Amino acid sequence: MDLQSDITLPALKFLSSETEHICRLCFSSTQDQEVSLEDSMRLQRSFLDETVTYADMFTDLSVPSESSLPQVLCINCATMTINSYLFKKLCHYSNQQWHSTLCRLNTSLNLTESLAPNIQTVYLMVNNKEHIMFTSRKHHTHRSKKSALAKIKEVMRVKQPYEKVKRQKSTVMCEECGEKFTSNCHLVKHMKVHSNTRHPCLQCPKIFATQLQLDDHAERVHYPKKLQCPKCSKMFSTEKMLKYHDRLHHVAAICKLCFVQFPSKKDLRAHLDKHDVNKCPRCDKSFLNKHTFKFHLKICGNIEERQPSFFCDICNKGYARKNGLRTHLKTDHGFGNVLSCNWCDKKFDAISRLRNHQVKHTKERNFHCDQCGGKFVTQAALIYHVRLHTGERPFPCDLCDESFLSASRRMEHKRRKHFGPTKECHVCHVKFVTGHQLRKHVQRHYNPLSKLFVPEVEEPYLNIDLSSNNMKDQQYPSISKLLSM
């Protein structure tokens, strides 16, 4: 009989119900030994561990399921079915492992692109069953697992305390003012603030609490600056100041929390605040700058602290913070050196504030919206614009159910809807909602072309001569003392 007859004859016998012992795959007789498709097997391999029936294997191998066909297999076909099923599972497992390994390697290689050229990297593969390790160092040779892991453990031990020290609570408190410190060394330095001993500078009105602070001030301000930094144009008076500047501004530093490299320690310090965002427990507002956060804690929910406690001796203008009064004295009354805008002659006491102001004239749009491509002059304008896209209104009014895009919009709403006009003109006693409206109104009293011009009213502070620093120091000794602190 030929092969076709060997297949056709057993098939006809099964269809005519003459016999049921026919192999589903090879048509051979299973009279002596057979395996049912419903029988289950436990398959244990390094890549697989499961219990499965032959019918499930057929389904996974895309063999059609027909209840009218034989439901048994011969021993040879059962063995081939198991091997075919295992082979398919092995291929799937292998593809997954290759994909996972390549993704991890690609991620590691991408991270190395952000590192400086002097940073070294190492790749490790650890075998859990053997006491060896494959490493990328030393020409891809095997290395003792014990020594390699000891080195890794030492590196991690150095990095881990960083976060613990950062979050460590203050344990030492000043008995004079109640301020807390993390060490006795910091407390000793702080106690000098409460000491009555003062060290005045012989070349300027400033006074310092310690001799060390005075010497540092003299080096920074009064010594002749003849040493130029080789990496920038800044000049310094001593090698000490030059080295300190180089370490702070020109030596790359890596964040030990996220391993991102920064061009200088100054940039790293600004970045570190972002890892531990300070959140106010009263209003849930978050701050990246710790000094701003501490000041906010003092005034948040405390109306008395918001009231001005520092007043100008010349115009009686009040400020909540001492720094605000210092800036006012420099920019409005001429105490100390100031920076002027080339376009509008507005004065500033810091170069950063001047630069932020100058973009209003230059209209340099360096901030881009990722959603619509719009360009904006300031970061604050971009944030405000993005909120129009997202619909976010993070500033709710505590007196009604309305929310606003910015704190200034919320305050304007409160003044209009809840508080009413509170800014009073000292000439005609008309009240306004905002200080801007009041200033515009007062200017009309001094303008001869305005209908509100009042001839007998003199513009304040025109008779004060502040042209000489010596005269200012003699006329306002308390102001000179404030600026010297």
Side-chain angles (χ1 to χ4, degrees):
M1 292 175 55
D2 56 6
L3 180 60
Q4 188 64 33
S5 300
D6 292 340
I7 294 176
T8 304
L9 182 58
L12 292 175
K13 288 183 178 181
F14 176 80
L15 295 175
S16 62
S17 301
E18 183 177 341
T19 180
E20 295 181 354
H21 304 288
I22 300 296
C23 178
R24 168 74 164 79
L25 297 178
C26 67
F27 298 90
S28 62
S29 175
T30 60
Q31 187 74 36
D32 297 332
Q33 193 173 7
E34 65 182 13
V35 177
S36 172
L37 294 181
E38 298 302 325
D39 291 345
S40 61
M41 283 199 63
R42 174 75 180 275
L43 300 178
Q44 289 182 305
R45 299 292 188 277
S46 59
F47 56 89
L48 180 70
D49 186 4
E50 63 180 16
T51 301
V52 62
T53 64
Y54 288 92
D56 294 335
M57 296 184 200
F58 271 30
T59 302
D60 194 82
L61 295 172
S62 301
V63 178
S65 177
E66 291 288 345
S67 58
S68 59
L69 296 180
Q71 300 298 306
V72 294
L73 296 174
C74 65
I75 297 301
N76 291 335
C77 289
T79 303
M80 284 192 293
T81 300
I82 295 173
N83 292 335
S84 300
Y85 180 77
L86 291 174
F87 177 74
K88 184 176 181 180
K89 290 296 182 181
L90 176 60
C91 292
H92 180 68
Y93 172 81
S94 176
N95 290 336
Q96 284 185 328
Q97 294 303 313
W98 275 110
H99 177 73
S100 175
T101 302
L102 294 175
C103 286
R104 288 197 299 268
L105 179 60
N106 187 52
T107 302
S108 300
L109 294 176
N110 289 338
L111 290 175
T112 59
E113 295 178 358
S114 62
L115 298 177
N118 60 336
I119 301 297
Q120 294 183 344
T121 60
V122 58
Y123 301 96
L124 304 173
M125 290 188 295
V126 182
N127 190 333
N128 294 328
K129 297 181 180 180
E130 300 179 9
H131 295 289
I132 58 174
M133 176 180 290
F134 182 78
T135 172
S136 62
R137 292 179 179 270
K138 297 184 179 181
H139 307 290
H140 304 281
T141 57
H142 288 87
R143 186 178 183 182
S144 169
K145 181 191 291 186
K146 183 177 181 180
S147 60
L149 291 180
K151 181 64 176 178
I152 296 175
K153 186 177 180 180
E154 179 184 355
V155 173
M156 296 305 296
R157 182 180 58 80
V158 173
K159 295 179 182 297
Q160 286 177 353
Y162 183 83
E163 182 69 15
K164 296 180 181 179
V165 171
K166 185 181 177 184
R167 296 180 180 274
Q168 186 179 5
K169 294 183 178 180
S170 301
T171 56
V172 184
M173 184 173 66
C174 174
E175 296 180 356
E176 297 287 338
C177 62
E179 188 172 354
K180 295 181 180 180
F181 300 91
T182 57
S183 66
N184 288 324
C185 179
H186 293 159
L187 176 60
V188 171
K189 291 182 179 179
H190 167 76
M191 289 301 296
K192 295 177 181 179
V193 176
H194 300 296
S195 173
N196 294 326
T197 305
R198 291 291 182 264
H199 299 268
C201 178
L202 301 179
Q203 304 183 49
C204 70
K206 287 193 173 183
I207 302 175
F208 299 90
T210 65
Q211 183 64 37
L212 183 62
Q213 293 175 347
L214 175 60
D215 295 340
D216 182 67
H217 160 76
E219 288 183 7
R220 288 187 294 104
V221 179
H222 300 302
Y223 286 10
K225 299 177 180 179
K226 299 181 180 180
L227 301 176
Q228 182 177 359
C229 175
K231 301 176 183 177
C232 67
S233 59
K234 288 191 174 182
M235 304 291 292
F236 299 91
S237 57
T238 62
E239 288 285 348
K240 170 188 169 184
M241 301 301 297
L242 177 59
K243 291 180 180 179
Y244 177 79
H245 162 78
D246 183 69
R247 289 196 304 269
L248 185 62
H249 294 276
H250 300 303
V251 176
I254 298 179
C255 176
K256 296 182 179 180
L257 301 177
C258 63
F259 304 103
V260 176
Q261 184 179 12
F262 294 89
S264 67
K265 289 185 178 180
K266 184 177 181 181
D267 295 329
L268 174 61
R269 290 174 183 175
H271 161 79
L272 286 175
D273 285 340
K274 299 181 180 179
H275 281 293
D276 190 12
V277 177
N278 306 286
K279 194 170 186 179
C280 176
R282 301 188 185 97
C283 64
D284 292 334
K285 190 174 182 180
S286 298
F287 298 85
L288 295 179
N289 186 279
K290 288 186 177 180
H291 299 290
T292 306
F293 172 61
K294 289 180 180 179
F295 177 74
H296 171 82
L297 287 179
K298 293 181 180 180
I299 65 173
C300 183
N302 190 345
I303 299 178
E304 295 180 357
E305 289 288 347
R306 297 185 183 183
Q307 301 300 324
S309 55
F310 300 94
F311 295 90
C312 176
D313 291 343
I314 302 174
C315 62
N316 293 326
K317 191 173 183 180
Y319 293 88
R321 302 180 68 179
K322 187 182 296 184
N323 285 339
L325 177 57
R326 287 174 178 168
T327 301
H328 165 74
L329 291 171
K330 289 181 180 179
T331 57
D332 293 347
H333 298 306
F335 286 87
N337 298 325
V338 293
L339 303 169
S340 299
C341 175
N342 295 330
W343 284 269
C344 65
D345 291 332
K346 190 173 182 180
K347 296 178 175 57
F348 300 88
D349 65 333
I351 186 64
S352 59
R353 295 175 183 172
L354 174 61
R355 290 172 179 170
N356 291 337
H357 165 78
Q358 285 178 337
V359 296
K360 297 179 180 179
H361 300 291
T362 60
K363 303 299 181 182
E364 295 181 8
R365 299 178 179 270
N366 298 324
F367 300 92
H368 306 268
C369 175
D370 296 333
Q371 301 188 40
C372 66
K375 298 181 180 180
F376 300 90
V377 175
T378 63
Q379 176 72 15
L382 173 61
I383 294 174
Y384 187 91
H385 168 79
V386 170
R387 288 171 181 164
L388 296 176
H389 286 298
T390 61
E392 180 187 9
R393 291 177 174 266
F395 298 93
C397 176
D398 56 353
L399 301 176
C400 64
D401 296 333
E402 294 190 46
S403 297
F404 300 89
L405 297 173
S406 64
S408 59
R409 288 289 182 91
R410 178 179 60 184
M411 181 54 65
E412 182 180 352
H413 156 80
K414 284 185 176 182
R415 287 171 178 167
R416 293 183 183 277
K417 299 294 184 181
H418 303 299
F419 301 154
T422 57
K423 308 292 183 178
E424 183 177 353
C425 174
H426 68 283
V427 179
C428 62
H429 304 291
V430 176
K431 293 184 178 181
F432 297 88
V433 174
T434 64
H436 176 72
Q437 294 173 344
L438 174 61
R439 287 192 296 271
K440 288 290 185 181
H441 168 80
V442 171
Q443 288 175 2
R444 299 179 65 185
H445 286 306
Y446 303 115
N447 185 3
L449 302 179
S450 173
K451 294 180 179 180
L452 299 179
F453 175 66
V454 181
E456 62 272 14
V457 176
E458 295 184 0
E459 193 166 359
Y461 322 126
L462 293 179
N463 297 326
I464 298 176
D465 184 11
L466 299 177
S467 57
S468 172
N469 286 334
N470 293 331
M471 292 179 61
K472 286 184 285 186
D473 293 342
Q474 297 173 3
Q475 189 173 4
Y476 303 103
S478 61
I479 294 178
S480 301
K481 183 178 180 181
L482 171 67
L483 295 174
S484 66
M485 293 177 65

